[in-house]
Amino acid sequence: MKAKRKYILVPFDYSDYSIKASLLAFDLANKFNIEIIFLHAYQDEESNVSEAANNAKDFYDKEIKAGRLPGAAYSFILRKGVPEDEIKRFIRGNEPLVIIMGTRGKDRKINDLIGSVTAEVMDISEAPVFAVPESVELKSFNEIENIGYATSLSDPDLKAFESMMEFMKPYKFTIMFVHILESGEVASLYKGKIDYLQNYISDKYPNINTAFKLIPAEKSLAVELNDYYVANQIDVLAVKSNHRNIFSRIFVASLAKKLVFQAKTPLIVLH
């Protein structure tokens, strides 16, 4: 049965990387006083799915009781079927606040780096998807200091930005907007939009700091963006999923492997 109010969805396969990602879900659920729903989709050959869920519950309960994990309401939902299909059915008509997913890490092919299921969920979900690589040691959203936000500086990006702020607004961090200048574009064209965005954020989110970087698309995008993110110690990379957006097209096709720091940087995909 679907939740009747905002909740956090954690697609779950009992792997180490999905357990690590779930720790962030408890941190966020405790902050917002909302429920975590662990959704596990299994195939015909899987057995003992209920036993695995009970073992996971025992683990979380012990961690909460010991004070190592923030208290939060949670439940497990087990569904037989293809994971991405079951996730799509579950969230239809009842989008979560955010979907938090663990992803496999370095030295894997591009589809494995993001995770084929994670990539599918990024495409189908209108809710933000927070993908956490298995190599990342991130247990609390309070640890996030700098978010790199790849933007086209267009009005739709503001809607995507607000969907991120819906779950990030309790926290204090710096958001660094990065725009790739296409051929023929000059930075001065965006001064008005940058001023508007700075004023909008400072008025509505006074605890958030902003910075802007406009990068000419003269060199390799991977090199330009990677240099900027490394130099500015980006903790999380945010990008709007939009096939008409030049960054999104290139990012999904080729930059993920290079820009997610060999699976060391979490990724927020917005819509």
Side-chain angles (χ1 to χ4, degrees):
M1 182 176 181
K2 292 187 179 181
K4 300 299 183 182
R5 60 182 182 130
K6 280 294 185 181
Y7 63 100
I8 297 168
L9 181 64
V10 180
F12 198 72
D13 64 1
Y14 308 105
S15 63
D16 289 343
Y17 56 85
S18 64
I19 291 175
K20 288 179 70 173
S22 71
L23 304 182
L24 281 171
F26 276 93
D27 176 64
L28 198 63
N30 178 269
K31 177 75 72 173
F32 282 89
N33 190 29
I34 58 177
E35 182 185 12
I36 303 167
I37 294 180
F38 292 96
L39 178 61
H40 177 64
Y42 61 94
Q43 304 297 318
D44 292 338
E45 64 272 15
E46 283 196 47
S47 60
N48 300 321
V49 290
S50 296
E51 180 181 350
N54 288 332
N55 289 339
K57 290 177 184 177
D58 289 342
F59 167 75
Y60 291 126
D61 289 344
K62 288 178 182 178
E63 292 297 294
I64 292 171
K65 186 175 181 179
R68 292 187 292 266
L69 198 61
Y74 70 91
S75 60
F76 277 80
I77 293 180
L78 309 178
R79 289 190 170 182
K80 184 177 179 180
V82 178
E84 50 266 41
D85 291 342
E86 294 306 318
I87 292 169
K88 184 176 182 179
R89 290 190 187 98
F90 187 81
I91 65 178
R92 185 181 295 140
N94 188 27
E95 294 286 343
L97 176 68
V98 61
I99 299 174
I100 299 180
M101 304 183 70
T103 66
R104 284 178 289 189
K106 59 185 178 181
D107 300 327
R108 297 183 184 270
K109 295 180 181 179
I110 185 65
N111 286 338
D112 288 332
L113 175 69
I114 295 180
S116 58
V117 174
T118 307
E120 288 288 335
V121 174
M122 288 175 178
D123 285 337
I124 64 177
S125 174
E126 291 299 319
V129 178
F130 193 103
V132 186
E134 62 180 343
S135 61
V136 169
E137 297 296 333
L138 184 65
K139 296 181 179 179
S140 169
F141 283 85
N142 284 314
E143 298 173 21
I144 298 174
E145 296 182 358
N146 298 308
I147 295 179
Y149 191 106
T151 177
S152 65
L153 288 176
S154 61
D155 292 337
D157 271 350
L158 195 57
K159 181 179 178 181
F161 171 76
E162 286 291 357
S163 71
M164 180 182 74
M165 290 306 301
E166 189 173 354
F167 68 91
M168 288 299 298
K169 61 187 175 186
Y171 305 98
K172 181 177 177 62
F173 57 91
T174 295
I175 184 163
M176 301 179 180
F177 292 92
V178 181
H179 174 72
I180 306 300
L181 291 170
E182 299 185 56
S183 177
E185 288 187 315
V186 292
S188 59
L189 292 175
Y190 291 98
K191 184 180 185 306
K193 290 186 176 181
I194 290 174
D195 290 343
Y196 171 78
L197 196 52
Q198 283 181 317
N199 292 333
Y200 178 89
I201 294 174
S202 63
D203 289 344
K204 191 169 183 179
Y205 305 105
N207 59 318
I208 304 302
N209 297 317
T210 58
F212 292 82
K213 177 68 173 180
L214 279 66
I215 303 175
E218 297 174 354
K219 300 179 182 178
S220 162
L221 288 178
V223 172
E224 293 277 15
L225 289 168
N226 186 70
D227 287 349
Y228 180 78
Y229 291 139
V230 170
N232 290 276
Q233 298 180 313
I234 296 297
D235 300 308
V236 175
L237 175 61
V239 60
K240 180 183 176 185
S241 179
N242 183 344
H243 293 300
R244 293 171 296 178
N245 178 296
I246 184 173
F247 182 87
S248 293
R249 290 200 308 270
I250 298 173
F251 181 87
V252 174
S254 64
L255 289 188
K257 186 175 181 180
K258 298 176 181 178
L259 291 182
V260 188
F261 298 35
Q262 289 74 50
K264 293 182 180 179
T265 302
L267 174 66
I268 301 175
V269 175
L270 307 165
H271 298 272

